[in-house]
Amino acid sequence: MESLFFDIGLLVIIATILGYLAMVLRQPLLLAYVVGGMLLGPTGLWLWQQLATLGGRKLPAFSLIGNPEVIHTISVIGIVLLMFLVGLELDLKKVKQFGATIIGISLIQIVVTFLLAAGLGAVLGFSWVTNMYLAIGLVFSSTIVSVKYLSEHKDLSSLYGRIVVGVLLAQDLLAIFTLILIASIGATGTLSFLTLANVVIKLGWLLVLTIILAHYIFPLVFSVIARSQELLFLSGIALAFIFALMAENLHISLEIGAFLAGISLASLPYHAQLATRIKPLRDFFIVIFFVILGMNLDLSLLASVWWQTILVVLFVVLLKPIIVLAGMGLLGFKRRTAFMTGISLAHISEFSLIVLQLGKSVGQVDEVLISLLTVVMIVSIVFSSYLYTYRQQIYNALERLLRVFERQTFVHPLEVAGNISGKPEQHIVLCGYGGMGHDVLINIASATKNYLVVDLDPNVIRLLMAKKVPAIYGDIADEEILEELGARKAKAIVSTVRNLFSNLALIKHVREENKKVPIVVLAESVADALELYDAGADYVVLPDIVGGAHTAMVFEDIQHENLDKLFRLKRKEIGQLRIQQLLGQERRR
């Protein structure tokens, strides 16, 4: 018990120190957690031994973590909570409209990736059986990593966020069937279709149970449970574990079980409160998962397969996104949606290693391929974190080149166009309807009818269109969307979007042609606010201390053309922010 307490304590301390260092250096936190795991695992031991050798000493083998298997089991809790929250944020009624699209994109991605990966294996000189396992391993992307990226950047509700989650779930289902096939062949030497049919029946039963509970049982049960916030919190976690355990006992992935548990509660009015309470707990266990991932990396194994590893990494982080980009372009998606979906899948999954381990147990895979895929998984996850962090800058740089992937004669129905006509002028542009945007829109609509709303959530756009609110689907960082909005000829622009890069792109594009239009944006930290002011924002709202009502008040000054008051407020605010920055008060409370 004392050893386990020490292991968890050391792991959290190392992750915290490196996480702080990564934040100061503006690097992804995921990188810090993986590096922390490397220092605590075989790679750290190998590095210490190399340093000792340089000093003329020989360092005996040792391990800082005494219970890695137990720690890994604990980290699985993070996976369960992560997938539960993903399901919690997906309404079953909204998922239906993506069904055919998900199947189409998944088929293209899986088939093309498999064939090209098998070709890569042939180039690398692997045997036919090894090629098949390599191809299978490269097909899957990590659900945990992708969902973490989407959650952190608040992209789960976007069109590409929903598509990514759907494709990942399709991959997880394929992984389950793959494991069953390998186990069946290994045990009997033949393929058992009876075993496959058995799993399909079990999965169907679990899905039917989810629908029944979501529609007929949970609305009544949770209306009573919700009277106590503590009991609501415990009930949500308990349900996630119940479904995960049921799925595992049915030989189905526990991730899928936890996901279905979340879906069963997604349509209830308490789902947002439940998600808010569970997220901090999820974050803690997910940190442990990524540290354990780093501990599994042994750099000493790279010596014999280093050039093969480099080629496979390039395949995963470059070619996999291009496959998705081309496939979605063929189906009629716009290049930005396809690009964002592609880079969200630019890594391989922990399922890949599970498949290879099972292949090893039946005598079809050797240790070299497992070592290679382990390194590729960790390197691709770290590399993809940079791709996703700087996705908007990368997209802006490649935007013209990406036009080759976009069909000009057909646009997919999910790419909601909106309900505006003509080129508006002297209007108010509201970017983002969720959260504070709702309060701001009420104020705008009461003052003028000449306004437009832009949002990245297709369901929000459908809601606004149903209410006859002029709205358009799109990202404010996309120059073409700004052209369609007539942003450069607007009377004022108010952005309640919390993404720094999107707001910076908005300001940059508008200021290139219109230096005078008032721009009000949101920021989540003092540093972000000052950066937005430097970029040309007229006023920056920090939602930690003000809300939609304050933003609406600022809008009133713009509406009445009281810009002198706004500029005085801006100068005062910048002065206060710089003082806070000097005092080290990064976030305002």
Side-chain angles (χ1 to χ4, degrees):
M1 183 65 184
E2 291 181 1
S3 176
L4 180 59
F5 183 81
F6 173 82
D7 290 347
I8 296 175
L10 180 62
L11 186 149
V12 172
I13 291 168
I14 293 294
T16 302
I17 294 172
L18 293 179
Y20 177 77
L21 184 61
M23 184 182 70
V24 171
L25 298 175
R26 291 180 173 267
Q27 301 302 309
L29 290 178
L30 186 147
L31 174 63
Y33 305 148
V34 172
V35 171
M38 290 170 61
L39 294 176
L40 294 173
T43 296
L45 173 61
W46 180 73
L47 290 173
W48 283 115
Q49 288 175 332
Q50 299 306 309
L51 290 173
T53 302
L54 292 176
R57 298 180 180 180
K58 187 174 182 179
L59 193 67
F62 66 93
S63 177
L64 290 173
I65 301 296
N67 300 279
E69 294 83 6
V70 177
I71 297 292
H72 181 269
T73 302
I74 293 173
S75 72
V76 173
I77 298 174
I79 301 173
V80 170
L81 295 178
L82 179 71
M83 294 310 299
F84 175 68
L85 287 172
V86 173
L88 202 59
E89 295 178 3
L90 287 178
D91 193 326
L92 202 58
K93 297 175 183 176
K94 298 174 183 176
V95 172
K96 293 178 183 177
Q97 69 192 55
F98 289 82
T101 300
I102 296 301
I103 293 172
I105 296 172
S106 299
L107 281 174
I108 293 172
Q109 184 269 323
I110 290 168
V111 172
V112 176
T113 302
F114 180 87
L115 293 175
L116 292 179
L120 175 64
V123 171
L124 297 177
F126 293 142
S127 67
W128 182 85
V129 175
T130 303
N131 271 356
M132 293 301 100
Y133 275 96
L134 175 68
I136 291 169
L138 297 186
V139 161
F140 306 123
S141 298
S142 175
T143 302
I144 303 162
V145 173
S146 292
V147 171
K148 186 176 189 296
Y149 294 160
L150 294 168
S151 299
E152 285 181 348
H153 294 85
K154 300 178 177 63
D155 290 336
L156 273 173
S157 61
S158 66
L159 176 58
Y160 66 84
R162 297 173 191 270
I163 292 173
V164 168
V165 171
V167 170
L168 290 168
L169 289 172
Q171 290 181 359
D172 286 351
L173 286 173
L174 176 63
I176 293 166
F177 287 120
T178 303
L179 291 172
I180 295 166
L181 284 172
I182 295 172
S184 176
I185 293 171
T188 64
T190 58
L191 177 62
S192 174
F193 288 101
L194 185 62
T195 306
L196 278 177
N198 187 33
V199 172
V200 171
I201 292 171
K202 290 176 180 178
L203 186 60
W205 175 84
L206 198 58
L207 187 59
V208 170
L209 177 64
T210 301
I211 295 171
I212 292 173
L213 291 173
H215 282 82
Y216 304 108
I217 309 297
F218 286 161
L220 178 62
V221 172
F222 275 84
S223 65
V224 177
I225 291 175
R227 296 172 187 172
S228 167
Q229 292 295 309
E230 183 178 340
L231 190 57
L232 178 66
F233 171 71
L234 288 174
S235 299
I237 294 176
L239 187 66
F241 277 98
I242 289 170
F243 267 74
L245 290 170
M246 278 198 302
E248 193 171 39
N249 286 330
L250 292 172
H251 302 290
I252 300 171
S253 161
L254 58 82
E255 287 98 333
I256 290 179
F259 174 76
L260 291 176
I263 282 184
S264 70
L265 301 179
S267 58
L268 299 183
Y270 326 106
H271 76 278
Q273 177 67 22
L274 186 57
T276 302
R277 298 287 297 272
I278 292 177
K279 281 177 182 177
L281 188 63
R282 171 207 64 183
D283 292 341
F284 173 76
F285 286 107
I286 284 295
V287 168
I288 296 177
F289 172 82
F290 284 110
V291 174
I292 290 293
L293 197 64
M295 288 176 60
N296 291 330
L297 178 59
D298 189 350
L299 289 179
S300 63
L301 298 174
L302 279 176
S304 61
V305 291
W306 64 269
W307 69 273
Q308 293 98 326
T309 303
I310 292 173
L311 287 178
V312 177
V313 167
L314 291 175
F315 178 94
V316 172
V317 300
L318 296 179
L319 196 54
K320 274 186 75 173
I322 292 175
I323 292 169
V324 175
L325 183 61
M328 291 184 66
L330 189 66
L331 294 175
F333 284 93
K334 294 181 179 179
R335 59 184 179 274
R336 188 182 186 281
T337 303
F339 175 80
M340 295 301 176
T341 304
I343 64 168
S344 300
L345 300 170
H347 40 72
I348 64 173
S349 171
E350 58 284 350
F351 262 132
S352 303
L353 298 184
I354 295 172
V355 170
L356 264 62
Q357 289 288 355
L358 185 58
K360 179 186 175 184
S361 69
V362 298
Q364 295 178 335
V365 175
D366 59 20
E367 194 65 44
V368 174
L369 184 61
I370 294 175
S371 300
L372 186 149
L373 260 293
T374 301
V375 173
V376 169
M377 180 180 71
I378 294 173
V379 173
S380 66
I381 286 174
V382 171
F383 193 88
S384 67
S385 69
Y386 284 98
L387 283 179
Y388 201 83
T389 300
Y390 300 104
R391 63 197 183 285
Q392 190 57 53
Q393 294 93 321
I394 297 171
Y395 175 77
N396 291 340
L398 300 176
E399 185 177 5
R400 292 187 178 181
L401 294 175
L402 295 176
R403 289 180 181 176
V404 69
F405 296 104
E406 189 172 271
R407 289 178 64 179
Q408 303 299 319
T409 57
F410 172 73
V411 177
H412 196 281
L414 286 177
E415 292 277 13
V416 185
N419 58 349
I420 65 172
S421 58
K423 290 291 183 181
E425 294 185 11
Q426 287 300 300
H427 55 298
I428 308 295
V429 176
L430 173 62
C431 307
Y433 177 74
M436 293 174 62
H438 177 265
D439 293 334
V440 176
L441 180 60
I442 292 174
N443 190 283
I444 292 175
S446 66
T448 178
K449 293 183 178 180
N450 191 16
Y451 64 89
L452 291 174
V453 181
V454 58
D455 199 286
L456 195 54
D457 187 341
N459 291 310
V460 166
I461 298 301
R462 290 187 179 90
L463 173 66
L464 293 174
M465 290 170 64
K467 293 182 177 181
K468 307 298 183 183
V469 174
I472 183 173
Y473 166 80
D475 192 321
I476 59 173
D478 190 335
E479 192 168 358
E480 289 187 4
I481 293 297
L482 294 177
E483 286 289 343
E484 195 167 347
L485 283 167
R488 294 183 178 90
K489 296 182 179 180
K491 182 178 181 180
I493 299 173
V494 180
S495 172
T496 62
V497 174
R498 291 174 178 255
N499 186 288
L500 172 65
F501 295 117
S502 294
N503 283 325
L504 287 172
L506 167 70
I507 295 169
K508 175 180 177 293
H509 291 322
V510 173
R511 288 291 181 239
E512 285 176 353
E513 293 188 18
N514 192 334
K515 305 289 185 183
K516 296 182 179 180
V517 57
I519 302 176
V520 179
V521 295
L522 257 65
E524 294 200 316
S525 70
V526 171
D528 289 354
L530 289 171
E531 188 172 352
L532 289 165
Y533 273 127
D534 291 339
D538 291 294
Y539 192 74
V540 180
V541 178
L542 285 108
D544 284 348
I545 58 171
V546 299
H550 178 81
T551 309
M553 184 179 66
V554 172
F555 161 73
E556 285 185 10
D557 290 332
I558 296 173
Q559 181 68 18
H560 296 109
E561 299 186 358
N562 192 2
L563 299 183
D564 288 339
K565 178 182 176 182
L566 180 65
F567 294 148
R568 287 196 301 271
L569 188 62
K570 171 184 175 179
R571 287 193 294 270
K572 179 182 177 182
E573 182 75 11
I574 291 175
Q576 291 176 344
L577 290 174
R578 295 203 185 281
I579 291 172
Q580 289 190 46
Q581 189 179 49
L582 289 172
L583 294 174
Q585 299 174 2
E586 174 60 22
R587 285 188 177 271
R588 300 178 66 172
R589 298 290 179 191

